């Protein structure tokens, strides 16, 4: 009876997490107006905001524009064809869960993987208890029990591989999209160059960077973990809502107010390295 109750409890918990993931949007990026990069006077004919201290850009220093959303794509944002909107720090579209995984529901996705893994371990342990008592009573092992062992072991291997890979992504502050792009560029022997526009001493500089080589977003495992899982340790295990509180205000005229908690921050060590490169005249343009 205890094993049956435990099994039902696990199933209800997993469905509860899944329901939250389905209901919650993955982190739809607020629409961002154009950046005022040049001080050419106030033009009331279009809406603009002052650019942030730094942002990823093209070789000419301009941010990426999404024609579908009619918005600037903020750092690490990708357009989701499923939602027809840009998603902040989009990780992937999960066919198993039937939804897109982004910055807002990423913690729930990790918790889903963790508790699903625990569920199949629980199945294996409970079957071990059942098998022993069954063999004592009947003198042999039921074939259905062996099938359950094989199925549980298969799921444990698959989910553990998925869960551990995403723990590694948190360790490096990467996404599945980042990882796939890096592998694709390694196969193609491409430099995978990116560009960043950064403000320094009342000027803006465009520098060539590489997100994999320079580890632009990696702030150390502890900070990376809190960035994803939140500050409250209780909700690292308890699957409830999202750690993001301020989802942005599209009506604001300030970049940071518009983007809210979807803002992406580069590491301090990387920022210092950019300043050193600027001082050494190692940049593309101003």
């Amino acid at each position: 009876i205890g094993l049956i109750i435990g099994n039902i409890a696990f199933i209800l918990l997993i469905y509860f997490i899944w329901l939250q993931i389905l209901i919650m949007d993955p982190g739809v990026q607020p629409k961002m107006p154009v950046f005022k990069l040049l001080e050419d006077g106030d033009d009331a004919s279009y809406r603009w905001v002052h650019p942030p201290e730094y942002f990823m850009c093209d070789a000419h220093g301009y941010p990426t524009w999404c024609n579908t959303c009619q918005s600037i794509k903020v750092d690490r944002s990708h357009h989701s064809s499923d939602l027809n909107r840009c998603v902040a720090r989009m990780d992937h579209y999960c066919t198993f869960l039937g939804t897109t995984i982004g910055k807002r529901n990423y913690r729930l996705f990790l918790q889903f993987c963790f508790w699903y893994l625990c569920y199949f371990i629980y199945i294996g342990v409970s079957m071990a208890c059942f098998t022993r008592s069954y063999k004592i009573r009947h003198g042999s092992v039921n074939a259905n029990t062996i099938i359950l062992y094989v199925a549980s072991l298969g799921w444990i291997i698959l989910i553990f591989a998925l869960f551990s890979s995403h723990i590694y992504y948190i360790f490096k502050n990467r996404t599945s999209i980042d990882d796939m792009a890096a592998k694709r560029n390694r196969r193609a022997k491409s430099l995978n160059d990116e560009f960043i526009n950064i403000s320094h001493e009342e000027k803006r500089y465009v520098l060539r960077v590489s997100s994999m080589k320079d580890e632009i977003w990696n702030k150390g495992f502890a900070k990376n973990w809190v960035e994803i899982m939140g500050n409250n340790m209780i909700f690292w295990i308890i699957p409830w809502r999202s750690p993001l509180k301020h989802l942005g205000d599209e009506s604001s005229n300030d970049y940071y107010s518009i983007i809210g908690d979807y803002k992406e921050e580069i590491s301090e060590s990387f920022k210092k390295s950019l300043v050193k490169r600027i001082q050494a005249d190692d940049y593309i343009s101003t």
Side-chain angles (χ1 to χ4, degrees):
I1 293 173
L3 292 175
I4 292 172
I5 292 173
N7 184 72
I8 294 172
F10 264 110
I11 291 174
L12 290 176
L13 176 63
I14 289 167
Y15 272 101
F16 176 66
I17 303 171
W18 184 29
L19 183 63
Q20 287 188 79
I21 295 174
L22 288 178
I23 293 174
M24 182 185 300
D25 75 73
V28 173
Q29 178 209 303
K31 289 188 177 181
M32 183 66 63
V34 296
F35 292 162
K36 188 176 179 63
L37 294 172
L38 301 175
E39 294 297 334
D40 55 353
D42 292 335
D43 189 341
S45 63
Y46 63 92
R47 185 171 171 235
W48 54 266
V49 295
H50 287 291
E53 180 187 359
Y54 51 81
F55 60 89
M56 302 305 291
C57 61
D58 62 14
H60 303 288
Y62 297 112
T64 305
W65 179 262
C66 179
N67 287 324
T68 305
C69 295
Q70 287 295 293
S71 165
I72 284 177
K73 283 185 180 180
V74 298
D75 296 339
R76 310 184 82 184
S77 177
H78 294 274
H79 188 80
S80 168
S81 56
D82 178 60
L83 298 173
N84 202 34
R85 284 292 301 272
C86 289
V87 174
R89 200 191 289 187
M90 178 176 168
D91 191 86
H92 66 287
Y93 178 83
C94 184
T95 54
F96 185 70
L97 297 178
T99 189
T100 301
I101 304 301
K103 189 172 185 178
R104 191 181 178 202
N105 64 359
Y106 189 64
R107 183 176 74 177
L108 283 170
F109 171 74
L110 283 173
Q111 291 168 333
F112 181 88
C113 293
F114 172 76
W115 286 112
Y116 212 30
L117 177 63
C118 291
Y119 172 61
F120 281 107
I121 293 173
Y122 177 85
I123 291 292
V125 172
S126 61
M127 287 308 301
C129 299
F130 174 76
T131 302
R132 184 173 178 274
S133 61
Y134 186 91
K135 188 175 181 180
I136 291 173
R137 290 197 304 270
H138 300 278
S140 62
V141 178
N142 192 308
N144 292 321
T145 306
I146 298 174
I147 294 172
L148 275 174
Y149 277 128
V150 174
S152 297
L153 180 62
W155 277 106
I156 287 171
I157 293 172
L158 288 173
I159 300 172
F160 178 77
L162 177 66
F163 181 68
S164 58
S165 66
H166 281 278
I167 294 296
Y168 172 76
Y169 292 156
I170 295 177
F171 183 78
K172 291 291 186 179
N173 204 327
R174 296 179 186 173
T175 65
S176 298
I177 292 177
D178 294 336
D179 192 59
M180 288 187 290
K183 291 176 180 177
R184 184 169 57 249
N185 283 289
R186 278 198 295 267
R187 287 194 298 268
K189 297 182 178 179
S190 169
L191 294 176
N192 191 27
D193 284 345
E194 298 172 86
F195 304 90
I196 189 169
N197 185 316
I198 184 169
S199 174
H200 178 66
E201 294 182 349
E202 299 183 355
K203 283 188 177 181
R204 300 201 71 93
Y205 296 83
V206 180
L207 295 91
R208 189 188 307 271
V209 296
S210 171
S211 59
M212 294 295 114
K213 180 181 176 181
D214 297 320
E215 293 195 342
I216 298 172
W217 314 105
N218 188 2
K219 294 175 278 292
F221 182 71
K223 290 185 178 179
N224 294 343
W225 179 264
V226 171
E227 193 174 283
I228 292 295
M229 303 300 290
N231 293 302
N232 194 331
M233 290 187 289
I234 294 176
F235 293 108
W236 293 358
I237 299 297
I238 298 175
W240 178 243
R241 306 182 69 178
S242 169
L244 305 185
K245 304 300 181 184
H246 178 41
L247 304 181
D249 179 12
E250 291 187 357
S251 63
S252 175
N253 291 319
D254 175 69
Y255 172 86
Y256 296 104
S257 297
I258 294 173
I259 202 63
D261 288 343
Y262 294 134
K263 177 180 59 126
E264 294 288 339
E265 295 183 354
I266 61 177
S267 65
E268 287 298 321
S269 59
F270 178 65
K271 189 186 296 186
K272 290 177 182 178
S273 70
L274 292 177
V275 173
K276 288 181 180 179
R277 287 177 58 186
I278 291 171
Q279 292 170 345
D281 294 332
D282 179 16
Y283 54 84
I284 296 176
S285 63
T286 60

